[in-house]
Amino acid sequence: MSAAKPSATIRYTTLRLLIFIGCFFVSAVAVHFGLIPSGLAGANFVWVILLGLVLSAPLSYVLLRKQRDEMSAQIISSVDRTKARLDANRTREDAVQ
């Protein structure tokens, strides 16, 4: 991984957040113009957040498949490197004792 390339986790999280913000904005506009019913007893803001979350989840699942796979591969390689270091340390400790 080069220093100029952001980590896959940061890229995925940023894109996921942008999708949520877009869905939140669309939900807020739809509620404002009465296309979607508003929340109960002044809970309009919470209602719009929940709508944004519900809309963004399946969109992120479909649209960010490539980024999620890259993030998974990056995490797996990091875990493998950590396991290799731990095994190397364990064998070195066994050889010393």
Side-chain angles (χ1 to χ4, degrees), residues 11-19 56 58-71:
R11 188 170 46 254
Y12 173 78
T13 303
T14 302
L15 290 172
R16 178 82 168 88
L17 184 61
L18 289 173
I19 289 174
S56 69
L59 285 173
S60 294
Y61 182 75
V62 172
L63 297 175
L64 300 179
R65 179 167 298 167
K66 178 184 169 195
Q67 288 80 8
R68 196 171 43 255
D69 290 344
E70 289 174 4
M71 180 177 67

Side-chain angles (χ1 to χ4, degrees), residues 6-48:
S7 79
T9 304
I10 292 172
R11 188 170 46 254
Y12 173 78
T13 303
T14 302
L15 290 172
R16 178 82 168 88
L17 184 61
L18 289 173
I19 289 174
F20 167 72
I21 290 170
C23 289
F24 174 78
F25 179 74
V26 168
S27 298
V29 169
V31 167
H32 177 73
F33 288 113
L35 301 173
I36 299 174
S38 61
L40 299 173
N44 198 30
F45 185 70
V46 174
W47 173 246
V48 173

Side-chain angles (χ1 to χ4, degrees), residues 52-85:
L53 286 171
V54 167
L55 292 174
S56 69
L59 285 173
S60 294
Y61 182 75
V62 172
L63 297 175
L64 300 179
R65 179 167 298 167
K66 178 184 169 195
Q67 288 80 8
R68 196 171 43 255
D69 290 344
E70 289 174 4
M71 180 177 67
S72 176
Q74 189 178 53
I75 290 171
I76 288 171
S77 68
S78 175
V79 168
D80 288 344
R81 283 192 310 269
T82 302
K83 283 182 181 180
R85 277 196 310 263

